[in-house]
Amino acid sequence: MYADLSLRPGDTEGALELVRAAARMGYRLLGIEDSGGIDRERVREESARHGAKVVWRRTITAGDRETLAAEARRGRGRLLVAEPLSLEAARYAATSKAFHVLRIRPGEERVVDKSTLRLFKDRGWGAIELSLRHLLDGWGAREWRYYSVSLRRAHAYNIEAILVSDATEPLELWHPYTVIGIAVAAGLPIQYSRRLITSTPQRVVSAAKR
């Protein structure tokens, strides 16, 4: 079952279009950013009609642990993703059971290390997230380093990882085969590459329900 755990529509109609397009590509597990103003029931009904399941997520971007902790308390009941702006915030997010995913930004590849692995193990689970959005904004050495280094480090340290589109409209979605191909091109084994959009996202969602 293919999964894209980060769709970012601007309204209900946009969410419905993304659900339909993603389902046609073969995605059956979808995460939608809960930005407010979206009719959840309509989205749920449309996703069920197309054989897909929707989970609601919230991404919290902050540079300090206090802000992350305060925002996490307001985000309960959703798939919570921490996007840290500092190493201190990243370490906190990796230890906090409030967060289900640690989002890695370009230039922060060093966060994918033994310390993050140890912190994930100490709390019992954890995964990092990489956004394919940066490939749409520009393709260069910096962007490729973000993917290749982060993914290779995750594989080397046995850190769970997921790839997401951050699509705001159907044209920004990536076909599952293309996503897998990007990971393989980065030097990952095909089995690990498939896990980035199949079993690992499913485990993330299961952890969020605990």
Side-chain angles (χ1 to χ4, degrees):
M1 179 171 68
Y2 294 122
D4 185 343
L5 290 189
S6 185
L7 306 181
R8 298 177 177 238
D11 53 27
T12 300
E13 291 304 318
L16 296 176
E17 290 180 3
L18 278 170
V19 166
R20 295 183 196 115
R24 285 195 297 269
M25 288 185 179
Y27 288 101
R28 292 297 178 262
L29 179 59
L30 303 169
I32 298 180
E33 189 73 21
D34 190 6
S35 55
I38 296 178
D39 188 331
R40 286 192 178 195
E41 186 58 25
R42 285 187 63 193
V43 172
R44 186 195 66 77
E45 291 175 354
E46 188 68 13
S47 62
R49 188 175 297 118
H50 291 275
K53 176 183 178 182
V54 166
V55 295
W56 298 92
R57 63 175 271 159
R58 185 180 177 202
T59 306
I60 300 172
T61 304
D64 61 272
R65 58 186 299 160
E66 291 78 17
T67 302
L68 284 175
E71 291 295 326
R73 287 192 289 272
R74 289 191 281 270
R76 288 175 180 169
R78 304 175 182 88
L79 175 68
L80 277 184
V81 180
E83 185 176 36
L85 301 178
S86 69
L87 184 59
E88 174 201 7
R91 297 307 188 211
Y92 170 75
T95 62
S96 172
K97 291 188 176 181
F99 292 102
H100 311 111
V101 179
L102 177 62
R103 188 174 171 95
I104 306 298
R105 295 160 58 92
E108 298 297 328
E109 296 84 5
R110 61 177 178 151
V111 173
V112 189
D113 60 7
K114 289 182 180 179
S115 293
T116 293
L117 174 64
R118 176 178 55 80
L119 294 173
F120 280 170
K121 284 186 173 181
D122 286 347
R123 76 177 188 183
W125 49 270
I128 64 166
E129 174 182 279
L130 305 178
S131 171
L132 292 168
R133 179 79 192 187
H134 306 292
L135 290 178
L136 301 181
D137 296 334
W139 179 277
R142 184 172 185 267
E143 288 76 23
W144 186 240
R145 173 182 170 80
Y146 165 63
Y147 297 104
S148 61
V149 172
S150 297
L151 289 173
R152 289 202 304 267
R153 288 171 70 95
H155 179 249
Y157 293 127
N158 199 28
I159 294 174
E160 299 277 23
I162 61 175
L163 286 172
V164 299
S165 69
D166 282 347
T168 61
E169 60 178 334
L171 287 176
E172 295 173 350
L173 290 166
W174 295 78
H175 192 280
Y177 292 171
T178 303
V179 178
I180 294 169
I182 289 172
V184 171
L188 273 66
I190 184 66
Q191 296 86 351
Y192 185 89
S193 299
R194 287 197 186 100
R195 283 167 46 192
L196 300 172
I197 56 170
T198 56
S199 58
T200 301
Q202 292 176 50
R203 283 195 290 273
V204 167
V205 172
S206 295
K209 293 179 179 178
R210 295 174 188 170

